[in-house]
Amino acid sequence: MKNGPLLGGEAAQAAVLSRSISPTLRVVIWLLATGLFSLSVAFWYRGIVVGDVPESTIPMVAIEQGTPQCAYPARAWTAVPPLYPVIGAGVMAATGLGTSNTGLFHYAGPQCSRVNPKEALYSVFPLVLIGALGWPVVLAGFIALLAAAGKARTLWEGLGLCLIAATPAVASTLVRYLHPEDLFAMGLILASTAAVIRSRWMTAGVCIGVACCFKQFALLAAVPLLIAAPRRDAVRFALSAVGSVAVILVPLGVVMGGGMFQVMRGMDATPSLAGTAIVGRLGLHG
């Protein structure tokens, strides 16, 4: 009896995974991956999110309550850029999720003071549900990357999506740290990489710029892509990235005030004993 890999050698595995799949099976795989992600979130969810609940919730509640000027009050420690709070506030307003008990995270008034400082209990599950909207962005970004690499519509797509969906670190963005913006940013980074493979540098720049408006760590992907780009494409990439950031942040900054720009600079992120560290200015979490 031969001893070898259970799934055969490298060539055999590649041949199996490269098989084309039908559109119907492809949709089934997307639904299966989404189900695995939901099961992973449900399995790791323990009723209380230990991490940084106020970081995205304070600006989100302020926007939903009609006080965007208090989205980034001076006394609220946060490193979350404004794009996810804007989306989350829209979902809250449209569905009513998380609106029943917002006093703990609601800042209002001329001094942007907490509305109900004595309130101590808050159900985080609605926030987890809102944050789960980042999963379709990750799914779409990964599919775009596989398509650019010539591996979409194959079993590679099913394997990759299911592995991502079942990875605990993906669920932890919701149930451990409550940083749903990380999912949005990573999905856009994947989409940007896909655009680079297709030599669509302006599209790549737009994706990276929007990703930065979700989370500053998108700069970690932007820098090597900028360096790797040919000279003309590097200019297009940089201009489209900066332009997309400006289109998003300038109007929001007019409404939300200077605190938003401080957050984008990472001024309140990951403080060290000697002050805000250089790494902290990237807004890294996890």
Side-chain angles (χ1 to χ4, degrees):
M1 184 176 180
K2 295 182 179 180
N3 293 323
L6 182 62
L7 299 178
E10 181 179 349
Q13 294 175 20
V16 171
L17 292 172
S18 297
R19 292 177 181 173
S20 297
I21 57 177
S22 67
T24 301
L25 181 56
R26 197 180 186 202
V27 173
V28 170
I29 288 174
W30 296 349
L31 294 175
L32 176 62
T34 301
L36 285 174
F37 173 72
S38 301
L39 287 174
S40 179
V41 171
F43 177 79
W44 294 108
Y45 180 69
R46 296 293 183 267
I48 298 176
V49 178
V50 177
D52 306 324
V53 176
E55 286 206 45
S56 60
T57 308
I58 287 175
M60 185 164 61
V61 169
I63 296 167
E64 191 275 332
Q65 292 290 321
T67 55
Q69 70 278 8
C70 294
Y72 295 98
R75 293 171 297 282
W77 183 87
T78 180
V80 176
L83 195 49
Y84 171 71
V86 168
I87 293 174
V91 174
M92 290 180 75
T95 65
L97 282 172
T99 59
S100 61
N101 190 13
T102 59
L104 179 62
F105 304 115
H106 186 198
Y107 287 72
Q111 303 299 321
C112 289
S113 302
R114 184 179 292 178
V115 171
N116 190 352
K118 295 182 179 180
E119 188 176 356
L121 297 177
Y122 188 86
S123 175
V124 296
F125 186 66
L127 303 178
V128 173
L129 291 178
I130 295 172
L133 291 174
W135 166 250
V137 181
V138 174
L139 185 123
F142 182 72
I143 292 172
L145 181 60
L146 283 185
K151 293 186 177 182
R153 301 182 178 87
T154 68
L155 290 177
W156 281 112
E157 186 174 311
L159 177 63
L161 286 175
C162 289
L163 287 176
I164 292 173
T167 300
V170 179
S172 74
T173 60
L174 299 178
V175 300
R176 172 66 179 173
Y177 300 104
L178 195 65
H179 279 286
E181 71 278 1
D182 293 1
L183 295 177
F184 288 87
M186 283 305 306
L188 286 164
I189 289 171
L190 291 173
S192 179
T193 306
V196 166
I197 294 175
R198 296 181 182 275
S199 296
R200 297 175 180 172
W201 288 95
M202 289 188 67
T203 301
V206 170
C207 289
I208 281 292
V210 176
C212 287
C213 295
F214 278 107
K215 201 58 176 283
Q216 299 94 326
F217 65 51
L219 290 172
L220 299 176
V223 172
L225 290 178
L226 180 63
I227 294 173
R231 181 174 298 178
R232 284 187 178 180
D233 293 327
V235 173
R236 294 173 183 170
F237 176 79
L239 289 178
S240 58
V242 173
S244 61
V245 170
V247 166
I248 293 171
L249 294 188
V250 170
L252 292 179
V254 171
V255 176
M256 296 181 184
M260 187 209 71
F261 293 107
Q262 285 190 332
V263 167
M264 286 303 301
R265 292 167 56 198
M267 295 301 293
D268 296 314
T270 319
S272 66
L273 294 178
T276 303
I278 294 176
V279 173
R281 291 177 183 269
L282 294 178
L284 301 177
H285 290 274

